[in-house]
Amino acid sequence: LFDRKQLGNWWCSAKAFKAFRLFLGDIRQGQFDAVFDFQGLFRTAFFAFQTRSSARFGMSIAREFASLFYTHKVVPPKQSYHLVDYFNAIVTAAGGTVLSTRGELIPPKEASTALRQQLGELGIGDKPYAVLIPGSAHQSKCWPTERFSRLADRITKELNCAVVVAGSALERSLAESVVRGASTAVFNLAGQTKIPQLVALLGG
């Protein structure tokens, strides 16, 4: 276990520095047969190295030169960018077998019923629809809203699909920008769905 809050101050606190040294001592004495670094950063790779394990697995494309600390640099699967695929590749490289990668969320019936009512009130009904989510926890990860608007237009015209914008209540104005920028009808449900309804919305 890594106490991030305490050990993160190892460089400016004598108490934290002592705890950090003890932590390194503990992992060195762990006698680990294999170490897996799924985060792929310098810190986690350095800890993996400190275990002195002869089998340290991580992605070859890990950031912050982390791959320098691995004994087994796993090449990511071609044409795949999902972390689940990366992690499965690490497990497979270690001799493990991937049994299933399917994750499924099933909304309660009342959530699905409430969503169908919402879609009916919007005039979508049983028509196929696409969901756009323009918001993100970090502004630097957000695609420009005008591009979402252009994408919405293409989906509507080329796929004959309704377009719904989803997100949190704080992202409603962002979603509204997508709606205003589109030349076709786009429906804003940002802030109008709780988690179960959102699951039902994304599940189609």
Side-chain angles (χ1 to χ4, degrees):
L1 296 177
F2 175 75
D3 188 340
R4 181 175 181 177
K5 185 174 182 180
Q6 180 190 34
L7 302 183
N9 297 320
W10 68 269
W11 55 276
C12 63
S13 165
K15 182 178 180 180
F17 180 71
K18 181 179 180 180
F20 184 72
R21 289 184 60 188
L22 291 174
F23 171 73
L24 292 181
D26 287 341
I27 61 177
R28 285 170 186 159
Q29 296 174 21
Q31 298 182 337
F32 298 102
D33 296 315
V35 178
F36 300 88
D37 181 13
F38 291 110
Q39 188 170 25
L41 297 177
F42 174 83
R43 179 182 64 195
T44 52
F46 174 73
F47 291 159
F49 177 74
Q50 289 297 312
T51 65
R52 300 174 181 173
S53 171
S54 60
R56 303 186 299 274
F57 295 84
M59 297 305 300
S60 62
I61 59 171
R63 294 174 290 169
E64 301 176 357
F65 304 102
S67 61
L68 295 175
F69 295 99
Y70 306 144
T71 59
H72 295 71
K73 302 174 179 61
V74 182
V75 178
K78 292 182 179 179
Q79 298 180 335
S80 177
Y81 299 94
H82 200 288
L83 285 177
V84 171
D85 298 321
Y86 288 3
F87 296 166
N88 283 339
I90 293 176
V91 172
T92 303
T97 300
V98 177
L99 299 179
S100 173
T101 59
R102 182 176 178 82
E104 188 173 8
L105 295 175
I106 301 176
K109 290 183 178 180
E110 55 268 25
S112 298
T113 300
L115 175 70
R116 283 196 298 271
Q117 182 178 346
Q118 279 182 298
L119 296 179
E121 292 172 353
L122 293 175
I124 297 176
D126 295 328
K127 183 179 179 179
Y129 62 86
V131 181
L132 302 181
I133 304 179
S136 171
H138 302 283
Q139 183 62 35
S140 61
K141 296 183 178 181
C142 289
W143 208 34
T145 55
E146 60 269 19
R147 296 187 183 179
F148 274 107
S149 298
R150 287 163 55 191
L151 176 61
D153 287 338
R154 289 194 61 180
I155 291 174
T156 301
K157 295 174 182 177
E158 297 179 19
L159 301 179
N160 191 29
C161 222
V163 176
V164 176
V165 183
S168 68
L170 295 176
E171 295 166 341
R172 184 159 181 79
S173 61
L174 184 67
E176 194 57 40
S177 296
V178 176
V179 174
R180 288 196 306 269
S183 61
T184 54
V186 178
F187 304 94
N188 186 358
L189 284 182
Q192 299 183 52
T193 55
K194 295 182 179 180
I195 296 297
Q197 286 80 30
L198 181 60
V199 171
L201 178 68
L202 297 178

